[in-house]
Amino acid sequence: MRVAVIGTGHLGSIHARIYSRMSNVDLVGIIDTNPSTANTVATECRCEVLSPGAELKGKVDAVSVAVPTPLHREVSE
Protein backbone atom coordinates (compact mmCIF):
# COMPACT_ATOMS: atom_id res chain seq x y z
CA MET A 1 0.00 0.00 0.00
CA ARG A 2 1.29 3.47 -0.91
CA VAL A 3 0.90 5.99 1.93
CA ALA A 4 1.66 9.66 2.59
CA VAL A 5 1.67 11.47 5.91
CA ILE A 6 0.49 15.06 6.13
CA GLY A 7 1.79 16.79 9.21
CA THR A 8 4.99 15.59 10.83
CA GLY A 9 4.75 17.04 14.30
CA HIS A 10 4.71 14.71 17.29
CA LEU A 11 1.97 12.32 16.13
CA GLY A 12 2.67 12.56 12.39
CA SER A 13 6.33 11.71 12.85
CA ILE A 14 5.27 8.58 14.75
CA HIS A 15 2.91 7.64 11.88
CA ALA A 16 5.73 8.12 9.38
CA ARG A 17 8.18 6.01 11.40
CA ILE A 18 5.68 3.18 11.75
CA TYR A 19 4.77 3.22 8.05
CA SER A 20 8.44 3.29 7.05
CA ARG A 21 9.03 0.06 9.00
CA MET A 22 6.04 -1.87 7.63
CA SER A 23 6.96 -4.39 4.95
CA ASN A 24 3.63 -4.04 3.13
CA VAL A 25 3.69 -0.22 3.02
CA ASP A 26 5.53 2.14 0.71
CA LEU A 27 5.83 5.50 2.47
CA VAL A 28 5.66 7.67 -0.64
CA GLY A 29 6.38 10.88 1.22
CA ILE A 30 5.52 13.36 3.89
CA ILE A 31 4.09 16.85 3.74
CA ASP A 32 4.63 19.54 6.37
CA THR A 33 4.63 23.33 6.32
CA ASN A 34 7.83 23.34 8.39
CA PRO A 35 10.69 22.47 6.01
CA SER A 36 13.12 21.65 8.82
CA THR A 37 10.76 19.17 10.45
CA ALA A 38 9.81 17.68 7.08
CA ASN A 39 13.45 17.13 6.12
CA THR A 40 14.32 15.57 9.47
CA VAL A 41 11.44 13.09 9.34
CA ALA A 42 11.96 12.30 5.65
CA THR A 43 15.64 11.57 6.22
CA GLU A 44 14.88 9.30 9.17
CA CYS A 45 12.10 7.50 7.29
CA ARG A 46 13.94 7.36 3.95
CA CYS A 47 11.15 9.01 2.00
CA GLU A 48 10.52 12.11 -0.06
CA VAL A 49 9.40 15.52 1.18
CA LEU A 50 6.37 16.52 -0.85
CA SER A 51 5.30 20.13 -1.16
CA PRO A 52 2.23 21.35 0.73
CA GLY A 53 -0.60 21.18 -1.77
CA ALA A 54 1.02 18.31 -3.67
CA GLU A 55 -1.41 16.35 -5.81
CA LEU A 56 -1.60 12.91 -4.22
CA LYS A 57 -4.47 11.48 -6.27
CA GLY A 58 -3.29 8.37 -8.06
CA LYS A 59 0.04 8.37 -6.21
CA VAL A 60 -1.13 6.98 -2.87
CA ASP A 61 -3.72 4.56 -1.57
CA ALA A 62 -4.05 6.19 1.85
CA VAL A 63 -3.10 9.36 3.69
CA SER A 64 -2.51 9.93 7.39
CA VAL A 65 -3.76 13.42 8.21
CA ALA A 66 -1.83 14.29 11.36
CA VAL A 67 -2.41 18.02 11.65
CA PRO A 68 -4.20 19.87 14.45
CA THR A 69 -7.86 18.83 14.62
CA PRO A 70 -9.28 22.19 13.45
CA LEU A 71 -7.33 21.78 10.18
CA HIS A 72 -8.43 18.20 9.34
CA ARG A 73 -11.25 19.21 6.99
CA GLU A 74 -9.25 21.88 5.15
CA VAL A 75 -6.24 19.60 4.67
CA SER A 76 -8.36 16.61 3.66
CA GLU A 77 -10.30 18.51 1.03
Side-chain angles (χ1 to χ4, degrees):
M1 179 176 7
R2 301 167 300 166
V3 178
V5 176
I6 301 176
T8 55
H10 177 71
L11 191 55
S13 64
I14 293 169
H15 286 212
R17 285 184 198 104
I18 290 169
Y19 287 133
S20 73
R21 295 176 185 151
M22 295 176 72
S23 62
N24 61 337
V25 172
D26 175 18
L27 180 60
V28 173
I30 55 98
I31 298 172
D32 197 286
T33 57
N34 181 324
S36 176
T37 302
N39 286 320
T40 298
V41 174
T43 298
E44 180 180 338
C45 296
R46 298 172 313 279
C47 70
E48 188 177 348
V49 175
L50 305 171
S51 64
E55 180 64 48
L56 297 176
K57 187 175 182 179
K59 296 179 183 175
V60 296
D61 303 304
V63 176
S64 265
V65 178
V67 298
T69 302
L71 298 175
H72 280 193
R73 181 177 178 180
E74 177 184 341
V75 168
S76 297
E77 289 178 340

